[in-house]
């Protein structure tokens, strides 16, 4: 895995040494950030189900003002911290790592809102709906929410006050974009 573009372009990221974590491919990350384009600089981003932290790190590399990583697996939390440290991303990038599931993190975030929420829940039927439940509490009128999911598991057209505006499929994976 590598950072696709921006300040940290080409830098390698550490990958998990255990089974069960499915990092977003470089190709799908590139597609995602090409779509997000000019909305990223200065944005407050939440990387939910963060895994390796590659999505949030890509956002920081492309000019996001801050990223909050949410991940419940302690091994993945250490991996995110190691990737941030290896790139020298500290206080300047304002990364925050919350070790919790998304629902618990929403409670801890106590009403904060984000400009961009990117969620990569497990590729299971119904997982996108559950992820949108959490995202809705953190989304303002201007917030874009993106859910990565298995292409075979279509997410809802609308849920929790969010409506799907676009879906992009790349192989077995898909990205669905939501707005209020």
């Amino acid at each position: 895995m590598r950072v696709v573009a921006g300040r940290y372009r080409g830098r390698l990221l550490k990958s998990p040494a255990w089974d069960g974590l499915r990092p977003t491919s470089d190709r799908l990350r590139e597609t995602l950030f090409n779509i997000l384009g000019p909305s990223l600089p200065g944005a407050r981003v939440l990387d939910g189900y963060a895994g390796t932290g590659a999505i949030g790190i890509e956002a920081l590399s492309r000019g996001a003002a801050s990223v909050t990583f949410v991940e419940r697996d302690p091994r993945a939390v250490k991996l995110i911290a190691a990737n941030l440290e290896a790139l020298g991303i500290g206080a300047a990038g304002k990364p925050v790592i919350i070790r919790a599931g998304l629902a618990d993190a929403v409670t801890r975030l106590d009403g904060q809102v984000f400009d961009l929420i990117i969620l990569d829940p497990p590729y299971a039927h119904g997982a996108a709906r559950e992820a949108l439940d959490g995202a809705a509490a953190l989304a303002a009128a201007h917030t874009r929410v993106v859910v990565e999911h298995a292409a075979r598991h279509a997410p809802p057209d609308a849920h929790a006050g969010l409506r799907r505006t676009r879906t992009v499929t790349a192989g077995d994976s898909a990205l669905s974009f939501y707005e209020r």
Side-chain angles (χ1 to χ4, degrees):
M1 285 190 330
R2 63 182 176 82
V3 179
V4 176
R7 180 178 181 184
Y8 305 108
R9 180 181 184 193
R11 300 280 302 270
L12 294 177
L13 299 174
K14 296 178 183 186
S15 297
W18 65 93
D19 290 334
L21 194 62
R22 175 197 34 78
T24 301
S25 71
D26 292 355
R27 181 175 150 223
L28 191 60
R29 264 187 292 118
E30 184 173 19
T31 298
L32 168 64
F33 285 100
N34 284 344
I35 292 168
L36 295 173
S39 66
L40 205 53
R44 291 165 296 151
V45 179
L46 181 120
D47 181 358
Y49 307 89
T52 63
I55 294 281
I57 289 169
E58 191 75 42
L60 287 169
S61 183
R62 293 176 185 236
S66 65
V67 173
T68 299
F69 298 88
V70 175
E71 176 56 55
R72 71 177 183 195
D73 186 326
R75 298 169 298 178
V77 168
K78 288 179 185 174
L79 186 59
I80 294 165
N83 278 328
L84 290 168
E85 185 177 331
L87 294 173
I89 301 173
K94 299 182 184 92
V96 173
I97 303 172
I98 299 174
R99 182 177 163 222
L102 186 61
D104 289 337
V106 168
T107 302
R108 290 185 199 178
L109 289 165
D110 192 32
Q112 286 185 47
V113 295
F114 294 86
D115 301 307
L116 176 62
I117 300 171
I118 305 172
L119 305 167
D120 184 8
Y123 277 17
H125 185 69
R129 183 177 297 276
E130 185 178 316
L132 289 169
D133 283 334
L138 305 172
H142 68 278
T143 304
R144 292 177 81 180
V145 178
V146 182
V147 179
E148 182 180 339
H149 56 90
R152 68 185 178 279
H153 296 305
D157 288 334
H159 184 71
L162 300 168
R163 65 177 172 76
R164 186 165 38 134
T165 59
R166 179 178 188 182
T167 297
V168 176
T169 302
D172 293 339
S173 299
L175 299 168
S176 288
F177 296 78
Y178 288 83
E179 295 176 357
R180 280 248 174 244

